[in-house]
Amino acid sequence: MPANTVTLTDTAELPEALIQAFVSAHQIAVLTGAGVSAESGIPTFRDARTGMWARHDPMTLASPQGFEQDPATVWQWYQWRRQLIAETRPNAGHYALARLQQRVPVLTLITQNVDGFHQLAGSDRVLELHGNVHRNVCSVTGKVIEADWMEQHSEVQPPPSPHHPRGRARPGVVWFGEALDSDLLDNAFTAASNCDLMLVVGTAGAVQPAASIPVLAKEHGARLIDINPDSNELTRLADWHLVGPSAKWLPTLVDELTATD
Ligand code: BV8
């Protein structure tokens, strides 16, 4: 860890410089990854192989090739994840970010997650870089498939698509090897370039182009706070590394901000 990253393990005393960076920020950008949903009981992306999925590689399951080769297995994996998401709810970290959005003049929330928990917790204008698992689209045309069509054609898993004779229903997420929505990505890059402070929460920083967003923020002079029990490439860029779960650190940070009002 280079000298300039201050590592904090206890929420007791936040450095004055960190509080000042927070309080004085006019534009805050936040990048979240699977770790922010970990305390909701959603396994992180690379851990999403518990039980019957242990023998599958998420990189294969979350790819057009994987879906082409075995649509039923990929579909079942998403049905399993959708069920996990339906059985739980956002945690204190999601709610803290929604509260923060109310307090800061400009806060752009960029997420790699597909569970929709930030919106459920009250955040709005969320940039879902990798899509949303609650949406279904045609595997050929990409057009949205409505829920009633899915219910009426559930005898086949995945159901056929209403938009193309060779199409099937697939989750409305971005798979490995697929391009991200260019408008979403442009908005994320703009927020990173303009922010005074970026929070990087619960991501291993291994997936591109999302992982380049904090790099851009740093290059444009933003202060960086990394919230993660572990450290990784993005931690090395950070001014502060808050070691531990986001459901602990985010409420502490937001309480600190409101306490200075
Ligand atoms: C693309 C949706 C190009 C599906 C996902 C360079 C540039 C561009 C592309 C590439 C590149 N190098 C390689 C690539 C290709 C690839 C890539 O990045 N590969 C990597 C793995 C080497 N990228 C792509 O394919 C992207 N597409 O670039 O297209 C293109 C252009 C034009 C035309 C065609 C193509 C698409 C990437 C999107 C893939 N889809 N999700 C689904 O979810 O099913 S990514 C998937 O990984 C999830 O969204 C997940 O969020 C994301 C990132 O992982 P993390 O969020 O970091 O999660 P992870 O489990 O890894 O880590 C969890 C972290 O949380 C850990 O650090 C852990 O310590 C921490 N944690 C744990 N508990 C807690 C916690 N933190 C806080 N609190 C806790 N309690």
Side-chain angles (χ1 to χ4, degrees), residues 8 10-19 242 249 252-254 256:
L8 299 172
D10 185 339
T11 58
E13 73 294 333
L14 291 175
E16 188 51 34
L18 185 155
I19 294 169
L242 311 186
W249 278 108
T252 301
L253 283 177
V254 178
E256 192 63 45

Side-chain angles (χ1 to χ4, degrees), residues 32-39 43-48 58-59 61-63 77-78 81 111-114 129-131 133 173-180 201-210 227-232 244-248:
T32 65
V36 82
S37 295
E39 281 140 297
T44 60
F45 189 71
R46 277 143 192 74
D47 297 345
M59 299 287 291
L61 291 170
S63 75
W77 183 52
Y78 280 94
R81 288 172 64 193
T111 188
Q112 301 171 82
N113 300 341
V114 297
L129 294 183
H130 297 159
V133 80
V173 299
V174 179
W175 278 332
F176 287 100
E178 292 184 327
L180 279 66
V201 189
T203 182
V207 173
Q208 294 293 352
I227 300 178
N228 196 320
D230 297 340
S231 61
N232 53 56
S246 47
K248 176 183 85 170

Side-chain angles (χ1 to χ4, degrees), residues 14 61 64 68 78 102 123 135 152 190 206 240:
L14 291 175
L61 291 170
E68 200 53 44
Y78 280 94
Q102 305 304 318
S123 291
R135 221 178 12 246
Q152 288 155 15
T190 302
W240 296 279

